[in-house]
Amino acid sequence: GPRFEARLAFERFEALFLVGRRSEALQALEKAVKLWDNPVYAEVREGFVGRLPPKQTVTLQAGGDTVRVTNHFPLVLGRGEDSAVRIDSPLVSRAHVDIQRRAGALVVKDLVSSGGTRVDDVVLAGPTALSALGHINLAGVVVDYELDDQRLVLRPRLRPRDVTVAARGERVADP
């Protein structure tokens, strides 16, 4: 019955949470709470939702185009569900690299990926400042970028119609 389905959904939540698939875990938890008014499930849901970072990304879709706008740094590029630029390739680590703000510059740093990283064809040996225009090679999967004083635009070559725009300041001015 519904209690059994709720238990299965809660067990699915636990498994998904352990492997870092937070949004799917939340969906499973919501299903468990909906199926069975169990106070333990409700308490876990309240604690889980309370610890989630505030959503700082807006996603816009039209046809086959997707644009994500964020002002949240560091930006993680990788295969993981929580990545700002998600690259669905087995060559790319879940959290392959991140881009951080440092002293007014944007710096890319490898997160101990298994396949390595190159920035503009140079092997990334440590944190490296991004230039105005270039590409980041994640174990053979390339993400092109454009950088100016106001924004960073990231576009994976595998999905050029899937763009992430990161505001560098408090507000992006009109072009």
Side-chain angles (χ1 to χ4, degrees):
R3 285 187 176 188
F4 179 71
E5 287 182 49
R7 282 186 70 146
L8 289 176
F10 190 78
E11 288 175 7
R12 179 172 162 76
F13 155 74
E14 291 176 317
L16 290 167
F17 178 77
L18 285 174
V19 296
R21 298 177 72 177
R22 290 186 184 108
S23 67
E24 290 177 62
L26 180 59
Q27 289 174 355
L29 183 56
E30 295 283 2
K31 181 178 179 180
V33 170
K34 184 178 178 183
L35 288 170
W36 183 13
D37 187 23
N38 182 328
V40 172
Y41 294 177
E43 185 177 335
V44 169
R45 181 192 175 282
E46 184 178 319
F48 183 74
V49 171
R51 287 183 179 88
L52 290 174
K55 191 164 185 171
Q56 297 176 334
T57 302
V58 175
T59 302
L60 309 167
Q61 292 182 311
D65 297 330
T66 301
V67 176
R68 269 180 237 60
V69 181
T70 185
N71 68 347
H72 178 73
F73 281 91
L75 291 175
V76 175
L77 285 69
R79 190 179 78 241
E81 185 177 312
D82 296 334
S83 297
V85 178
R86 188 164 183 221
I87 301 166
D88 195 19
S89 169
L91 300 172
V92 176
S93 298
R94 283 191 184 125
H96 201 99
V97 299
D98 73 7
I99 299 173
Q100 304 174 6
R101 292 179 184 164
R102 281 197 190 163
L106 291 183
V107 176
V108 64
K109 179 178 93 172
D110 190 280
L111 298 173
V112 193
S113 65
S114 57
T117 304
R118 294 175 176 264
V119 175
D120 301 327
D121 299 323
V122 176
V123 175
L124 199 63
T128 303
L130 294 176
S131 60
L133 186 66
H135 60 274
I136 303 168
N137 184 322
L138 311 170
V141 179
V142 178
V143 177
D144 293 314
Y145 71 86
E146 297 172 37
L147 176 64
D148 63 29
D149 292 339
Q150 296 179 7
R151 64 188 70 86
L152 169 66
V153 179
L154 298 157
R155 179 172 292 144
R157 286 188 188 167
L158 288 174
R159 301 183 80 183
R161 296 174 68 181
D162 190 0
V163 177
T164 300
V165 179
R168 292 187 63 186
E170 295 297 313
R171 180 173 174 258
V172 177
D174 294 329

